[in-house]
PDB file of all heavy atoms in Angstrom:
ATOM      1  N   HIS H  52      14.551  -8.402 105.641  1.00 94.00           N
ATOM      2  CA  HIS H  52      14.063  -9.768 105.804  1.00 94.00           C
ATOM      3  C   HIS H  52      15.222 -10.747 105.633  1.00 94.00           C
ATOM      4  O   HIS H  52      16.115 -10.525 104.799  1.00 94.00           O
ATOM      5  CB  HIS H  52      12.967 -10.078 104.790  1.00 94.00           C
ATOM      6  CG  HIS H  52      11.826  -9.106 104.817  1.00 94.00           C
ATOM      7  ND1 HIS H  52      10.883  -9.097 105.817  1.00 94.00           N
ATOM      8  CD2 HIS H  52      11.499  -8.102 103.960  1.00 94.00           C
ATOM      9  CE1 HIS H  52      10.008  -8.130 105.584  1.00 94.00           C
ATOM     10  NE2 HIS H  52      10.359  -7.512 104.458  1.00 94.00           N
ATOM     11  N   ALA H  53      15.195 -11.822 106.403  1.00 93.00           N
ATOM     12  CA  ALA H  53      16.270 -12.823 106.327  1.00 93.00           C
ATOM     13  C   ALA H  53      15.711 -14.196 106.656  1.00 93.00           C
ATOM     14  O   ALA H  53      14.754 -14.317 107.427  1.00 93.00           O
ATOM     15  CB  ALA H  53      17.396 -12.463 107.298  1.00 93.00           C
ATOM     16  N   PRO H  54      16.297 -15.259 106.087  1.00 95.00           N
ATOM     17  CA  PRO H  54      15.873 -16.620 106.454  1.00 95.00           C
ATOM     18  C   PRO H  54      16.170 -16.871 107.928  1.00 95.00           C
ATOM     19  O   PRO H  54      17.247 -16.522 108.426  1.00 95.00           O
ATOM     20  CB  PRO H  54      16.730 -17.517 105.555  1.00 95.00           C
ATOM     21  CG  PRO H  54      17.220 -16.630 104.460  1.00 95.00           C
ATOM     22  CD  PRO H  54      17.347 -15.275 105.067  1.00 95.00           C
ATOM     23  N   GLY H  55      15.216 -17.486 108.615  1.00 94.00           N
ATOM     24  CA  GLY H  55      15.402 -17.799 110.021  1.00 94.00           C
ATOM     25  C   GLY H  55      15.157 -19.264 110.293  1.00 94.00           C
ATOM     26  O   GLY H  55      14.649 -20.011 109.446  1.00 94.00           O
ATOM     27  N   GLY H  56      15.514 -19.697 111.503  1.00 94.00           N
ATOM     28  CA  GLY H  56      15.337 -21.101 111.857  1.00 94.00           C
ATOM     29  C   GLY H  56      16.147 -22.006 110.948  1.00 94.00           C
ATOM     30  O   GLY H  56      17.307 -21.729 110.643  1.00 94.00           O
ATOM     31  N   ALA H  57      15.539 -23.108 110.508  1.00 96.00           N
ATOM     32  CA  ALA H  57      16.249 -24.028 109.615  1.00 96.00           C
ATOM     33  C   ALA H  57      16.600 -23.362 108.287  1.00 96.00           C
ATOM     34  O   ALA H  57      17.570 -23.757 107.631  1.00 96.00           O
ATOM     35  CB  ALA H  57      15.397 -25.267 109.370  1.00 96.00           C
ATOM     36  N   ALA H  58      15.822 -22.354 107.890  1.00 97.00           N
ATOM     37  CA  ALA H  58      16.150 -21.635 106.657  1.00 97.00           C
ATOM     38  C   ALA H  58      17.480 -20.901 106.796  1.00 97.00           C
ATOM     39  O   ALA H  58      18.212 -20.724 105.818  1.00 97.00           O
ATOM     40  CB  ALA H  58      15.035 -20.653 106.299  1.00 97.00           C
ATOM     41  N   ASN H  59      17.813 -20.467 108.010  1.00 95.00           N
ATOM     42  CA  ASN H  59      19.113 -19.856 108.244  1.00 95.00           C
ATOM     43  C   ASN H  59      20.232 -20.888 108.159  1.00 95.00           C
ATOM     44  O   ASN H  59      21.335 -20.594 107.695  1.00 95.00           O
ATOM     45  CB  ASN H  59      19.140 -19.154 109.603  1.00 95.00           C
ATOM     46  CG  ASN H  59      20.437 -18.392 109.831  1.00 95.00           C
ATOM     47  OD1 ASN H  59      20.941 -17.710 108.943  1.00 95.00           O
ATOM     48  ND2 ASN H  59      20.985 -18.521 111.024  1.00 95.00           N
ATOM     49  N   VAL H  60      19.960 -22.110 108.612  1.00 96.00           N
ATOM     50  CA  VAL H  60      20.939 -23.188 108.429  1.00 96.00           C
ATOM     51  C   VAL H  60      21.175 -23.415 106.937  1.00 96.00           C
ATOM     52  O   VAL H  60      22.311 -23.582 106.484  1.00 96.00           O
ATOM     53  CB  VAL H  60      20.462 -24.491 109.103  1.00 96.00           C
ATOM     54  CG1 VAL H  60      21.502 -25.602 108.916  1.00 96.00           C
ATOM     55  CG2 VAL H  60      20.194 -24.275 110.579  1.00 96.00           C
ATOM     56  N   ALA H  61      20.083 -23.417 106.161  1.00 97.00           N
ATOM     57  CA  ALA H  61      20.219 -23.581 104.707  1.00 97.00           C
ATOM     58  C   ALA H  61      21.072 -22.469 104.110  1.00 97.00           C
ATOM     59  O   ALA H  61      21.927 -22.718 103.252  1.00 97.00           O
ATOM     60  CB  ALA H  61      18.832 -23.599 104.054  1.00 97.00           C
ATOM     61  N   ALA H  62      20.840 -21.234 104.568  1.00 96.00           N
ATOM     62  CA  ALA H  62      21.628 -20.102 104.065  1.00 96.00           C
ATOM     63  C   ALA H  62      23.098 -20.260 104.426  1.00 96.00           C
ATOM     64  O   ALA H  62      23.989 -19.968 103.619  1.00 96.00           O
ATOM     65  CB  ALA H  62      21.074 -18.796 104.637  1.00 96.00           C
ATOM     66  N   ASN H  63      23.376 -20.739 105.647  1.00 96.00           N
ATOM     67  CA  ASN H  63      24.762 -20.963 106.056  1.00 96.00           C
ATOM     68  C   ASN H  63      25.417 -22.065 105.239  1.00 96.00           C
ATOM     69  O   ASN H  63      26.575 -21.948 104.828  1.00 96.00           O
ATOM     70  CB  ASN H  63      24.805 -21.315 107.544  1.00 96.00           C
ATOM     71  CG  ASN H  63      24.896 -20.101 108.437  1.00 96.00           C
ATOM     72  OD1 ASN H  63      25.990 -19.631 108.752  1.00 96.00           O
ATOM     73  ND2 ASN H  63      23.754 -19.571 108.837  1.00 96.00           N
ATOM     74  N   LEU H  64      24.690 -23.149 105.000  1.00 97.00           N
ATOM     75  CA  LEU H  64      25.237 -24.244 104.197  1.00 97.00           C
ATOM     76  C   LEU H  64      25.533 -23.795 102.775  1.00 97.00           C
ATOM     77  O   LEU H  64      26.570 -24.133 102.189  1.00 97.00           O
ATOM     78  CB  LEU H  64      24.261 -25.414 104.182  1.00 97.00           C
ATOM     79  CG  LEU H  64      24.113 -26.185 105.499  1.00 97.00           C
ATOM     80  CD1 LEU H  64      22.871 -27.059 105.470  1.00 97.00           C
ATOM     81  CD2 LEU H  64      25.354 -27.035 105.774  1.00 97.00           C
TER      82      LEU H  64
END
Side-chain angles (χ1 to χ4, degrees):
H52 305 286
N59 185 43
V60 181
N63 272 271
L64 289 165

